[in-house]
Structure formats: structure tokens, C-alpha cells
Amino acid sequence: MKFLRGRFENVDWPACAVLPVFMLAALPFMNVPTWLTLTIAGAAMGMMLFLMASGLSLIFGLMDVITFAHGAFISLGAYLAVEVARALPGLIADPSWSAALLVLAAALALAIVVTGAVGWLFEAVIIRRVYGSHLRQILITVGGLIVAQELIIVFWGANPIPLQKPAAMRGSIVIAGAAIEVYRLVAVALGLVICIALQFVLARTRLGLVVRAGVENIEMVEALGFRVRRLFVGVFVAGTALAGVGGVMWGFYQGLVTPAIGPEMMILVFIILIIGGMGSIGGSLVAAILVGLMTNYSGFLAPKLALGSNILLMVAVLLWRPRGLFPLVKS
Amino acid sequence: MSDILLSLSGVHTHIGSYHILHGVDLSVRRGKVTMLLGRNGAGKTTTLRTIMGLWRASAGAIALDGRAITDAATPDIARMGVAYVPETMGIFSQLTVRENMTLATANGRFDETRLEETFGFFPVLKTKWNDRAGLLSGGQKQMLAIARAIIERRRLLVVDEPTKGLAPAIIDHLIEAMNRLKQAQTTILLVEQNFHMARSVGDDVAVMDDGVIVHRGAMADLAADEALQQRLLGLNLASHQ
């Protein structure tokens, strides 16, 4: 019991209750199959949003860097999925799960390598010069985003490019009377795997321990002998690679890839960061699922409100918790 | 082997447009406790931060065991065996006591003998081992900060005002711990406002004023000379008994 008390005595129960309460609050307004469909769809969308937001959350939490160029890495991930689909048309059309998983794995691996490498270059050439100055970070990364978007147009053109999901991941299955898209289940599974992996690294490894300490007090981490600059590079690369993964999943989900596919998501990504508590990975997960659910519930219940619903959600959370649901402690 | 472990010669430090240190000359003897005293704003903390490379010296030289560290990065200075306990303690409040201590080990593993020795100094840390450091009291946090500095064998401890804001009973405990470290021949550079603490643990003393060292000598001599204390520190010793 003492062990359990130690584990749970610091849990912020009101913040943890937000997600289940929000889900249950929507139930009286629709029948159970519809609620189940919308909830799973919202959770899947939330997981994809989490993939995009978690990288930025990590970058902001440790490095105190706000980068609007994150949207470009999401776009790049989506276009890399296009390239994989073009290179493997036989596997895309193959109805077997092994072929579908192979296509997805290839797209994710390519996105991780390429967006990670571009992220490394971006940190070295641009971000390194603007540490400690949010205004300069915003200005230079907005500039970087514009340049990246133009470069994407140079390579892939300005026209939308269709991107088919692998055959086995198309269509829906019916569970308890609710029709659920197979791809959404895949997105939920991948999101959970990445979330668990991130939490494992952060909670159980020495690297994670240094990152968590660095989020609180970078100077002290340096005084303990850790080279924070190298850690910054690693975190930025990991953050951009996660954006690439989010881009792949979002690209397949949308079915149409445009140069604006990433930048369009940045409003939701920032809403997630603000709701979750800037820099908190766990907060980003809860906030991403909240935003996914809100998008789906409001789209069904009040379509005219759908566009602004997430902003209303953010305002409501901030009125209650001005620093977000799970704010980070910084020294 | 030289008697001097750490030396600063003519060290100047600027923070932005402010010129804080105006040519600090300081020596820390091996195996001794050197007290750095002075009024608020004299430049004591800046001196420690400059030694640690957290603020760059704009002129002068700093050497550890004869090796120049003036331009060394903070992590490299730490890896040379210098442990730093800042005025703010630098505790990671979201991490547990164990995690805070783990960060200070070279490879993430504890030397059990050393760990038990550290618990000997601060037994309360053993009972709080898996608690979040943010939940500790001010005194316990200070003990954790010092324990973290000594969990590995270090060449030099650089400690900034460990008694600040602590209750007298906790200060006495810290004095006892510092004296035990001193008996173990640990070299310590200690900034302190509490003259009782300084007198209890210091071997040597340097007094700063306006960014320069204005007095150097034996701590015992300063402790015995009330007129000198009054002149250098504005102290009335009776109020610090």
C-alpha cells in the first residue's frame, strides 16, 4: 500500500479526469454505436496529432525553442510517403497485411531518416543561432517554413498528389454496431507504441533521466557533467523525426498530399501544446486525444461550430488551468 | 604535487554590460576548506559561476591542479572532478531523490560503500529515497544537493551559501557534515554569509568586496579578530554567536 501511495500521491487527478469526463459527457447526445465510432475516430485522429505534437513538445520542453518550421517536417513526411507509395505500387495494391505493414514500415523508416537528417541540418544552420530568443526563433522558423514549402513545390509541384492507403488498411470493420476505419485502428496502435516507447525512454533510461532533468534546469545538468548541446541536437532530430512520422500517418489518412498539409496542422499542434502544458509529453497525449475527440464530436453534433470548437476547448482549459493541464516545472 | 588545487589570477567577469569581477586572485589549498566571504553583491556567486564556466571570464586565468580551465565548458570542468552546489541548490524537483543522485554518478550506478557513507552524512535521504525531491523540506533539499556533490569522489566541492534560509538545527547538521568531509581531506570552496558556519569549518578565508579579494588569511585569525571582521564584513560577532 505504501508503494502505491508513493506512486499515486502526486497524480493530478482532476487533470487526469478531464479525458474520461469529456468522453462520457458526449454520450447522452448520441446513441452508443455513433458515440463509439466518433470516440475511436477521435482517438485515432488524436494519436496522429500526438505524433506531430510530441516532437514539438519535446523540443520546446528541453530546448525552450518554438519552431514554426515543424509544419514543414510534417509535410516532408507526407511527401516521403508519396515516394514510397510510388516506388512500391504492387505492395500498395496487395491486400495482405504483410504487404501493408511493409509499405507503412518503409514509409516510416524513410521519414524518420530523412526528416531526422534535415532536422539535424536545420538545428545546426538555423536554430543554434537563436537559442534563448523566442522572438528570433519565431521569425526565423516562419521564414524557414516558407522556404521549405517552396522547396517542396520545387521537388513535388504545387498540385495535390493522391496517396492511397495500403489495401489491407482500407475499409471499415464493425465492432458493437460501430463502423470503425481499419486505418484509424492502425494509427491508434502506432501512436500507442510510440507513446509507450517515448515514456519508456524518458522514464527508464539514463538518457531520459537527463532529458527530464534538462527540462527543469539545463544549467545544473551541465554542472553535473552532461553536454547539453549534444542533447539538444539529439532532441531536435528526434522531434523532427516524430513530425515526419506524423506526416506519413496524416498523409495516408488524408489520401491527398499538398504542400500545405503540414502548416495547416500547426494551429492544432499549438492548441495541443497549450492545452497539454507547453513541453509536457503526457500532457500532449491527453490534449491531442481531447482535440481529436472535440473535432469529431462537434463535427457530428454542431458542424457549424466544428472549426472553432478546439479554440473554445483551449479557452475553457486555460480559464481553469492557465498553464495547461500538465504544466512543466522549470527552475 | 602542488599544495594549491585551484587558482584564480586576475579574473575579470562581465555579465552583459556589467563588470562584476575586477581581477580576482584566489587560491584554494588541497584538502582544506576555503571560505569565500563578503557582503551581498560583492561577487562571491559570480566567482563560483566563473570557476564552473557558467559565466565566462573576460580576462585572467583559472587553473585546476595546474591545468587551465578558463575557457573550458562547464561539463568538462565537472568531469575534471569539480562538483557545484549552487545557491538555489539545483535540485530537480520532479525527479526522485534516487534519480537526483543517479544523475551525479559517472555511469548511472552507485558505489554502495560511497552511498552508505553519504547516507551516514544525511540519513534522512535514505528514508526519502523514492520520494519526489520537490516534496523535501528546504533543509532536506540542501542535504540532497550536497549529497549529490559527494556521491562520487571529487577533487573539489564548490558550494554556494548552503545555510541560506535554513533553521539553526539544520545548519548545525550541515556544519557537522562539512567537518566530516573536511576530516576526509575533501577540498572545499565555500561561499557563506553565516559567520558561525564559516568559523566552524573554514581553514582559509578570502573576503571579497566590489569584485576583488580584499583579505586573505587563516579563518582562525579572522574569527579571532573582531575589529577585522567589523572592517571587512561589517559584522558584530556577538550577533552571530
Side-chain angles (χ1 to χ4, degrees), chain A residues 16-314:
Chain A
C16 290
V18 166
L19 195 53
V21 166
F22 187 74
M23 284 183 195
L24 291 174
L27 189 53
F29 299 100
M30 58 192 86
N31 60 42
V32 172
T34 305
W35 177 81
L36 196 59
T37 301
L38 292 175
T39 301
I40 293 177
M45 183 182 171
M47 282 299 185
M48 285 183 270
L49 291 172
F50 168 71
L51 293 174
M52 297 178 224
S54 57
L56 193 56
S57 185
L58 206 58
I59 290 168
F60 179 81
L62 180 72
M63 303 165 67
D64 200 26
V65 166
I66 299 172
T67 165
F68 280 78
H70 205 66
F73 294 99
I74 296 171
S75 297
L76 183 57
Y79 277 99
L80 291 168
V82 167
E83 288 305 315
V84 169
R86 280 175 176 168
L88 305 169
L91 287 178
I92 288 275
D94 190 327
S96 71
W97 267 99
S98 55
L101 291 174
L102 196 62
V103 170
L104 193 60
L108 292 174
L110 185 66
I112 287 170
V113 170
V114 175
T115 54
V118 176
W120 174 77
L121 195 67
F122 194 76
E123 195 278 340
V125 174
I126 294 177
I127 297 293
R128 198 169 292 180
R129 291 162 214 289
V130 292
Y131 281 133
S133 168
H134 283 161
L135 181 61
R136 292 172 69 205
Q137 286 163 11
I138 290 168
L139 290 173
I140 203 162
T141 56
V142 166
L145 176 63
I146 294 167
V147 171
Q149 257 186 298
E150 293 304 313
L151 283 173
I152 281 173
I153 291 170
V154 169
F155 281 104
W156 284 285
N159 293 327
I161 301 174
L163 175 61
Q164 273 204 316
K165 297 179 189 76
M169 294 178 185
R170 296 171 208 160
S172 304
I173 56 171
V174 177
I175 301 171
I180 296 158
E181 278 184 61
V182 174
Y183 185 76
R184 290 178 190 256
L185 292 175
V186 173
V188 169
L190 181 71
L192 281 176
V193 166
I194 289 179
C195 183
I196 290 167
L198 267 178
Q199 289 295 350
F200 178 82
V201 170
L202 287 173
R204 297 296 171 94
T205 66
R206 187 161 168 84
L207 175 68
L209 185 59
V210 176
V211 169
R212 283 188 291 142
V215 166
E216 270 196 66
N217 188 340
I218 282 177
E219 194 173 79
M220 197 61 222
V221 170
E222 287 203 304
L224 288 170
F226 296 97
R227 295 189 173 93
V228 170
R229 193 63 66 199
R230 286 185 195 170
L231 193 64
F232 276 13
V233 176
V235 164
F236 198 84
V237 168
T240 52
L242 279 169
V245 168
V248 168
M249 295 306 288
W250 193 246
F252 276 126
Y253 176 68
Q254 291 290 85
L256 207 59
V257 176
T258 70
I261 191 169
E264 278 171 0
M265 300 309 294
M266 287 309 288
I267 291 176
L268 284 183
V269 166
F270 276 112
I271 287 175
I272 289 165
L273 257 61
I274 292 165
I275 290 177
M278 296 288 276
S280 160
I281 295 290
S284 294
L285 177 67
V286 172
I289 296 174
L290 268 178
V291 165
L293 291 173
M294 178 57 113
T295 305
N296 279 267
Y297 292 154
S298 61
F300 177 76
L301 293 169
K304 286 183 181 173
L305 273 181
L307 270 177
S309 60
N310 283 309
I311 292 173
L312 290 177
L313 176 68
M314 179 178 72

Side-chain angles (χ1 to χ4, degrees), chain B residues 169-239:
Chain B
I170 305 289
I171 293 174
D172 288 342
H173 187 77
L174 282 180
I175 289 172
E176 189 191 326
M178 285 290 175
N179 276 322
R180 287 176 67 184
L181 284 171
K182 187 174 151 179
Q183 283 160 16
Q185 297 291 297
T186 311
T187 309
I188 303 173
L189 174 58
L190 182 58
V191 162
E192 191 48 76
Q193 295 269 22
N194 184 310
F195 197 77
H196 171 54
M197 169 91 158
R199 191 178 48 185
S200 304
V201 302
D203 295 304
D204 301 330
V205 64
V207 181
M208 287 194 85
D209 196 19
D210 279 342
V212 289
I213 302 289
V214 293
H215 171 83
R216 265 184 296 262
M219 187 67 224
D221 294 343
L222 180 62
D225 190 339
E226 286 194 33
L228 190 60
Q229 288 163 33
Q230 179 66 37
R231 183 166 65 79
L232 294 172
L233 303 164
L235 277 180
N236 175 1
L237 189 57
S239 66

Side-chain angles (χ1 to χ4, degrees), chain B residues 4 24 41 51 68 72 82 100-101 112 117 122 154 165 173 175:
Chain B
I4 303 299
V24 171
I51 292 167
V82 182
N100 268 277
M101 298 280 282
E112 287 301 323
E117 270 175 34
F122 308 113
R154 314 283 187 195
H173 187 77
I175 289 172

Side-chain angles (χ1 to χ4, degrees), chain A residues 206 212 216 219 225 227 329, chain B residues 49 76 79 93-94 105:
Chain A
R206 187 161 168 84
R212 283 188 291 142
E216 270 196 66
E219 194 173 79
R227 295 189 173 93
V329 175
Chain B
R49 290 179 63 83
D76 296 329
R79 283 166 185 235
S93 60
Q94 297 298 302
T105 59

Side-chain angles (χ1 to χ4, degrees), chain B residues 108-181:
Chain B
R109 281 188 291 277
F110 293 107
D111 173 338
E112 287 301 323
T113 314
R114 189 87 184 162
L115 185 59
E116 284 307 317
E117 270 175 34
T118 308
F119 285 148
F121 288 124
F122 308 113
V124 69
L125 296 181
K126 195 169 189 174
T127 62
K128 303 278 183 184
W129 193 234
N130 287 311
D131 288 3
R132 205 154 56 82
L135 299 175
L136 301 181
S137 69
Q140 289 166 347
K141 281 181 186 163
Q142 191 60 264
M143 290 174 201
L144 173 57
I146 295 171
R148 199 172 56 183
I150 61 172
I151 190 65
E152 295 266 313
R153 202 162 291 283
R154 314 283 187 195
R155 294 157 90 182
L156 173 65
L157 299 190
V158 176
V159 187
D160 197 353
E161 283 204 56
T163 62
K164 192 176 180 183
L166 298 186
I170 305 289
I171 293 174
D172 288 342
H173 187 77
L174 282 180
I175 289 172
E176 189 191 326
M178 285 290 175
N179 276 322
R180 287 176 67 184
L181 284 171

